[in-house]
Amino acid sequence: MSRNIIISIKRVVEKISNVIHTKETYTIHGDSTCMDWLKFLNIDNKIRLFPNFYSAWLTYRNFHYLVLVNHEFSSQFPSFLQEETLNSGAWIVIIDELDLSIKKDADISILEEILDNEWG
């Protein structure tokens, strides 16, 4: 696989660390399923539709997914459309390869929690 797992994780952690302004060193750990997603997920096509709205077609183990990334996603669509919880490995790939930035008004406590916890 051409993706370097360590570098992808490092880039995402660096983005978060830059926002919470910490001098501590963090990493993001994961179980074998998370590592599998991180290693084998492919982004087939990515589109930046608007300044804060991205989409990507993903393939993982011959299954295809459409992911829409927008910080106001849940308020834009009817309640019968549910957001799915992404596998943490997929989360790393999407943030790293789409080069998504952290919201300027992001909830710092959520970012700290991401760094403090292991993948579930």
Side-chain angles (χ1 to χ4, degrees), residues 5-22:
I5 295 169
I6 294 170
I7 290 174
S8 289
I9 293 171
K10 193 176 202 177
R11 278 187 257 203
V12 172
V13 169
E14 188 175 287
K15 285 182 183 205
I16 296 171
S17 296
N18 286 339
V19 172
I20 63 171
H21 305 293
T22 180

Side-chain angles (χ1 to χ4, degrees), residues 30-61:
D31 60 17
S32 60
T33 303
C34 296
M35 294 305 288
D36 201 52
W37 274 83
L38 180 53
K39 187 174 179 182
F40 294 108
L41 179 71
N42 290 316
I43 296 181
D44 299 322
N45 194 10
K46 53 188 176 182
I47 304 167
R48 186 171 182 176
L49 300 173
F50 300 102
N52 293 320
F53 200 99
Y54 297 76
S55 65
W57 283 105
L58 314 175
T59 303
Y60 171 73
R61 303 260 186 216

Side-chain angles (χ1 to χ4, degrees), residues 30-94:
D31 60 17
S32 60
T33 303
C34 296
M35 294 305 288
D36 201 52
W37 274 83
L38 180 53
K39 187 174 179 182
F40 294 108
L41 179 71
N42 290 316
I43 296 181
D44 299 322
N45 194 10
K46 53 188 176 182
I47 304 167
R48 186 171 182 176
L49 300 173
F50 300 102
N52 293 320
F53 200 99
Y54 297 76
S55 65
W57 283 105
L58 314 175
T59 303
Y60 171 73
R61 303 260 186 216
N62 295 320
F63 288 96
H64 303 284
Y65 303 88
L66 172 64
V67 174
L68 305 175
V69 180
N70 178 272
H71 67 272
E72 296 176 347
F73 182 87
S74 59
S75 64
Q76 299 295 319
F77 295 94
S79 60
F80 64 86
L81 292 175
Q82 298 297 315
E83 289 184 75
E84 296 292 329
T85 301
L86 286 176
N87 177 282
S88 301
W91 182 80
I92 294 290
V93 174
I94 290 167

